[in-house]
Amino acid sequence: MTFLQGSLADRDSWSAIGECPVEKTMAVVGTKSAMLVMREAYYGTTRFDDFAQRVGITKAATATRLAELVDLGLLARRPYREPGQRSRDEYVLTEAGSDFMPVVWAMFQWGQRHLPNRSRIGLTHLGCGADASVEIRCAEGHRVEPGELGARLVKRKAATP
């Protein structure tokens, strides 16, 4: 079976450079610290100092990562104020940030399965307690195995004036 379908099958007639969603996503969140900040945001971390400590990066790197993730729309700043303190920002997942989390969990799952010294942390369904995993399903609800997945050109919706 050919992964690339339709006009994409002629690999010499096109290039994915600058068009590939994987390339674009890596340009956005392709650093270890960005992925770990996203992990921590999902775990419930919201405060600047907590991100720095839990990810194990400098405050300068934390400031850079948080600013980038806010600019990309994966995190949003939300002001808070402790009694007697100045106003500060905390950082929370946006809808786009929540939509990104399967990417993080797929990496988590791959690491659990293929790297030595596996973590004792596992994914679980909070509703029933069963193990959870990341998988691909088609629009009809069928599980899609790697050998059954293809790529094709999709028609873009016309821009509205």
Side-chain angles (χ1 to χ4, degrees), residues 35-67:
M35 296 297 283
L36 296 179
V37 165
M38 291 301 294
R39 176 199 68 194
E40 288 305 318
Y42 186 83
Y43 286 167
T45 302
T46 61
R47 307 283 172 92
F48 179 92
D49 288 338
D50 294 337
F51 279 111
Q53 179 185 5
R54 293 189 56 80
V55 174
I57 57 178
T58 66
K59 290 188 178 199
T62 302
T64 299
R65 289 296 88 73
L66 289 171

Side-chain angles (χ1 to χ4, degrees), residues 81-134:
R81 176 182 242 152
E82 297 286 345
Q85 300 291 318
R86 66 179 172 85
S87 182
R88 297 175 185 237
D89 288 328
E90 61 182 3
Y91 300 85
V92 295
L93 284 173
T94 62
E95 181 179 353
S98 292
D99 287 348
F100 181 74
M101 292 314 297
V103 174
V104 177
W105 300 132
M107 292 176 67
F108 177 99
Q109 183 174 305
W110 184 89
Q112 279 284 75
R113 194 173 291 151
H114 298 288
L115 296 177
N117 301 322
R118 296 182 191 176
S119 170
R120 295 181 302 160
I121 301 170
L123 300 177
T124 188
H125 178 206
L126 294 176
C128 71
D131 289 346
S133 64
V134 178

